[in-house]
Amino acid sequence: MIYADNAATTKISSNVLNAMLPALTEEYGNPSAIYDFGGRAKRMIELARGRVAGAIGARSREIYFTSGGTESINWAIKGAASTCRMKNKNHIIATTIEHNATINSLEFLQRQRFDVTFLDAGDNGIIDPAKLREAIRSDTGLVSIMYANNEIGTIQPIFELGEICREFDLLFHTDAVQAVCEIEIDLGKLPVDLLSISGHKIHAAKGVGALYIRDGVEIDKFIDGGNQERGYRAGTENTAAIAGLGVAMQDVVEGRQNKIYVKKIRDRFLEGVLRIGNVRIHGDKEQRLANNANIGFDGIDGEFVVLALNRYGICCSTGAACSAGAVETSRIIKSLGYNSKKAKEAIRFSFSEENTIDEIDYILEKLKEIIKK
Ligand code: PLP
């Protein structure tokens, strides 16, 4: 098998697995228990909290563990909206290219009579900070803009966007689920109040994530119950997955150096794709994640190509959400200005440091065969 769908999920690394195993076997104590056996589990969680914080320049107390990116985003947006409403700030700004976790959270808030402005990302998939400035109103309370896009890999100017939010005293959340593996994040300097992370995109387990909440920022708690996560996110902690997330975040800091190699193989792939011809690359060519290549062959259905590559053991995706086996037309590609037919042509390859040059060449060979046929 050749795995080129790392934006969908990643393989658990051996470091992560080794960190998880004790909690899955001998160290199964409840972290809330007051005896030593529980205390050891609690210590694993606190060690992981420190590691996550350290990797993004945050303080341990600013990190809250969740069940993944979707939960972190739901909490950040709905929790912040709730405190904004108390100040009569019922307007939220986001973008048209956010993940469904954000879009659907905002649609929920629209039903609660919040007003949401979705900024257009233009034909290159990058938000122009001037558009954010223009959209701000006297009742704006929250801005949520993703750091890097999951389909086309475009990277937003988060520092500049955050500075504008600071200027107008707005809460600023960023979905950094796809960004942390490649972009250095220092929350000591980055003007962001809330930041979402997911484990399974960075070689940790599925079903674990974290939300960074800047000291002093007040958002409503999300899950009621016990006193876990300082009472803000109740429920007995997934100790093993959390321990793994801590190690994954630590490894991410060193792993970012692999970006040069990943970019090299991605660029080799794109050069090969351009040689096949009748193809376009979606999203900005420079301001994008090094591992992402989102392409479309003129007149050829993306799903057809993905399934044809699957026959050769190659895993890639159309990049769009899949519901009940049916691939939806990509909202992201459409927001770049393409019609539904063109949006259906999109294919996303997302590489990792584990992909070899031989694998890239094999994908290109099979891609050429399929397209020429
Ligand atoms: N945000 C982005 C940009 C994503 O790519 C994903 C996962 O596809 C999510 C949020 C949701 O994360 P999770 O799968 O951990 O719920």
Side-chain angles (χ1 to χ4, degrees):
M1 182 186 80
I2 297 178
Y3 191 70
D5 201 16
N6 288 277
T9 197
T10 57
K11 180 171 141 187
I12 291 194
S13 72
S14 53
N15 280 352
V16 167
L17 186 64
N18 288 335
M20 289 175 70
L21 279 174
L24 290 170
T25 50
E26 312 90 57
E27 297 291 353
Y28 57 85
N30 187 321
S32 299
I34 57 171
Y35 40 78
D36 286 354
F37 187 44
R40 288 206 294 278
K42 179 89 185 143
R43 271 200 297 283
M44 273 191 240
I45 292 173
E46 294 318 313
L47 179 64
R49 201 185 305 283
R51 286 174 166 162
V52 172
I56 54 176
R59 285 165 281 236
S60 288
R61 61 175 183 267
E62 295 173 313
I63 303 298
Y64 295 79
F65 291 113
T66 66
S67 69
T70 299
E71 184 188 322
S72 297
I73 292 165
N74 268 262
W75 180 13
I77 292 177
K78 293 174 186 170
S82 174
T83 49
C84 286
R85 171 150 279 173
M86 286 192 270
K87 297 176 193 152
N88 272 327
K89 302 269 186 186
N90 292 319
H91 178 235
I92 303 170
I93 301 172
T95 81
T96 53
I97 60 166
E98 299 299 312
H99 187 271
N100 274 347
T102 298
I103 298 286
N104 292 342
S105 292
L106 292 169
E107 285 180 1
F108 167 84
L109 291 172
Q110 282 175 319
R111 293 193 292 278
Q112 314 293 314
R113 295 191 301 285
F114 277 90
D115 196 11
V116 184
T117 300
F118 291 96
L119 303 177
D120 197 70
D123 57 8
N124 63 349
I126 310 278
I127 304 297
D128 177 358
K131 284 192 188 162
L132 170 63
R133 193 178 278 282
E134 276 165 29
I136 294 170
R137 313 191 314 211
S138 58
D139 62 342
T140 309
L142 170 68
V143 175
S144 186
I145 298 180
M146 71 196 324
Y147 212 136
N149 184 267
N150 45 305
E151 288 189 34
I152 53 175
T154 49
I155 300 168
Q156 305 305 331
I158 291 298
F159 192 89
E160 244 180 299
L161 295 165
E163 291 276 88
I164 296 171
C165 292
R166 283 269 186 283
E167 192 185 322
F168 290 88
D169 201 17
L170 310 176
L171 283 178
F172 185 37
H173 166 249
T174 188
D175 164 2
V177 165
Q178 295 286 343
V180 277
C181 60
E182 285 195 20
I183 301 167
E184 197 185 319
I185 295 174
D186 179 2
L187 287 157
K189 298 193 186 110
L190 196 69
V192 161
D193 301 306
L194 303 154
L195 180 136
S196 296
I197 293 171
S198 167
H200 73 110
K201 311 286 183 178
I202 55 167
H203 304 285
K206 293 168 183 59
V208 68
L211 177 64
Y212 158 84
I213 307 178
R214 184 177 289 281
D215 257 354
V217 167
E218 281 177 32
I219 70 168
D220 250 11
K221 55 182 172 173
F222 196 53
I223 297 184
D224 293 306
N227 203 35
Q228 294 91 354
E229 299 300 283
R230 283 154 282 163
Y232 274 82
R233 197 279 183 186
T236 303
E237 301 89 335
N238 186 346
T239 317
I242 290 171
L245 179 63
V247 169
M249 283 296 285
Q250 217 175 20
D251 287 352
V252 140
V253 177
E254 284 169 30
R256 288 195 192 115
Q257 286 146 15
N258 297 330
K259 197 167 104 177
I260 297 163
Y261 170 73
V262 175
K263 184 174 182 309
K264 190 175 130 192
I265 57 168
R266 192 275 314 272
D267 288 348
R268 182 185 181 94
F269 174 75
L270 285 178
E271 280 160 25
V273 159
L274 289 172
R275 275 198 301 274
I276 297 173
N278 286 335
V279 70
R280 57 186 186 277
I281 299 167
H282 298 129
D284 196 85
K285 310 275 179 299
E286 301 301 324
Q287 222 169 301
R288 69 188 299 145
L289 296 174
N291 77 350
N292 174 289
N294 192 309
I295 58 175
F297 289 97
D298 292 335
I300 301 178
D301 190 64
E303 194 185 345
F304 164 79
V305 179
V306 170
L307 293 175
L309 286 171
N310 175 50
R311 273 190 251 127
Y312 297 104
I314 298 165
C315 304
C316 62
S317 101
T318 57
C322 196
S323 55
V327 177
E328 290 165 15
T329 315
S330 167
R331 173 170 53 74
I332 312 297
I333 305 294
K334 281 208 272 192
S335 79
L336 301 180
Y338 294 102
N339 62 25
S340 294
K341 190 172 168 286
K342 287 272 161 218
K344 277 200 176 129
E345 292 169 3
I347 318 162
R348 178 189 68 188
F349 294 84
S350 43
F351 303 107
S352 83
E353 61 281 1
E354 292 201 5
N355 290 119
T356 62
I357 289 183
D358 284 350
E359 286 181 344
I360 299 296
D361 292 346
Y362 182 74
I363 302 175
L364 285 169
E365 184 192 315
K366 294 302 165 198
L367 205 48
K368 192 173 167 186
E369 259 176 53
I370 295 162
I371 303 301
K372 296 292 171 201
K373 248 190 233 168

